[in-house]
Amino acid sequence: MAAIQAKPTRMELSNLKKRKTVAVRGHKMMKDKRDELVRRFIIFARRNRELREEVERKLTLAMKSFVLARASMSNAEIEEALLYPARAASVETGSESVLSIPVPKLKLETQEGFTYPYGYATTSAELDGAVQQLAEVLPLMLELAEIEKSCSRLADEIEKTRRRVNALEYVMIPQFTETIRSIQMKLEENDRQSTTRLMKTKEMLQQQS
């Protein structure tokens, strides 16, 4: 590991030791953050899998009901029955923070109660079931979209944090360590040389007296 270019002085040695201490502390904090991000990501990922399975199950049931409805109703009757929504709905968008990472928050606003947007004279029970199942799956689909985007953002942040942890652990801290060791060796060598010169000077003065 290449050392950092620095002058072999005691002041520089002191500064490098302080910088290494900060780097070691930052490394621990980043590792803790990475571990917590991974823990949160696993929670989101499990919820994502549960939601996806539930959404796929309900959509499959709804599609089967629609197929059965088409067997007993004409296309025109189905289109006319579904021309108007069962109830008004809107989606309120926002965000919340997960370990300082903004993740989306979606809130479904609907009218109270549920009514079919058509009469029962020309429609089948299968169409009722399909409409009911789709109404039930809508909030799940919104939550799924919210969770999937949250997973994506957490995964990006985990990767960034992992790179920072690796940079500190395998590059910066070893460089500080190597540079500090190099300066200490140089200073020790200078001290030995100074001691040797002083001893020789003292010896020469003693010989002259």
Side-chain angles (χ1 to χ4, degrees), residues 28-199:
K28 182 181 184 306
M29 292 175 62
M30 295 300 292
K31 279 188 71 176
D32 291 343
K33 179 183 178 181
R34 181 199 61 189
D35 294 343
E36 181 61 19
L37 282 169
V38 170
R39 189 185 72 81
R40 298 285 186 95
F41 177 82
I42 291 173
I43 293 173
F44 277 102
R46 286 174 178 168
R47 179 58 180 160
N48 181 77
R49 184 180 60 187
E50 292 171 359
L51 281 170
R52 179 166 291 279
E53 291 175 353
E54 183 67 9
V55 166
E56 289 178 354
R57 186 183 67 81
K58 286 186 176 293
L59 286 177
T60 299
L61 291 174
M63 291 304 104
K64 288 180 179 179
S65 296
F66 267 122
V67 170
L68 293 174
R70 289 191 63 181
S72 58
M73 297 173 61
S74 66
N75 289 339
E77 288 173 333
I78 292 178
E79 290 178 6
E80 182 180 356
L82 301 179
L83 187 59
Y84 299 101
R87 56 182 172 178
S90 62
V91 178
E92 181 180 336
T93 61
S95 65
E96 65 178 10
S97 178
V98 176
L99 297 177
S100 301
I101 304 164
V103 297
K105 202 68 181 174
L106 304 177
K107 183 178 180 182
L108 179 64
E109 299 284 350
T110 60
Q111 294 177 341
E112 291 295 331
F114 175 83
T115 57
Y116 294 100
Y118 49 78
Y120 301 111
T122 59
T123 59
S124 65
E126 287 77 16
L127 183 62
D128 296 347
V131 171
Q132 179 67 42
Q133 287 154 1
L134 288 177
E136 292 174 359
V137 81
L138 178 57
L140 296 178
M141 292 179 69
L142 288 176
E143 186 182 354
L144 178 60
E146 176 186 300
I147 293 293
E148 285 193 342
K149 188 63 178 178
S150 298
C151 284
S152 176
R153 290 188 176 178
L154 285 174
D156 290 342
E157 190 65 23
I158 288 170
E159 179 61 20
K160 291 177 184 177
T161 306
R162 184 189 66 81
R163 289 177 181 174
R164 294 190 186 109
V165 168
N166 288 345
L168 286 167
E169 184 172 349
Y170 299 111
V171 180
M172 291 189 66
I173 293 176
Q175 283 182 341
F176 283 133
T177 301
E178 178 63 23
T179 304
I180 288 170
R181 187 184 69 82
S182 177
I183 291 177
Q184 286 176 331
M185 290 177 62
K186 184 66 175 177
L187 290 174
E188 289 172 0
E189 182 182 351
N190 290 342
D191 288 343
R192 286 194 296 270
Q193 290 176 351
S194 295
T195 301
T196 301
R197 285 195 298 269
L198 286 172
M199 291 177 65

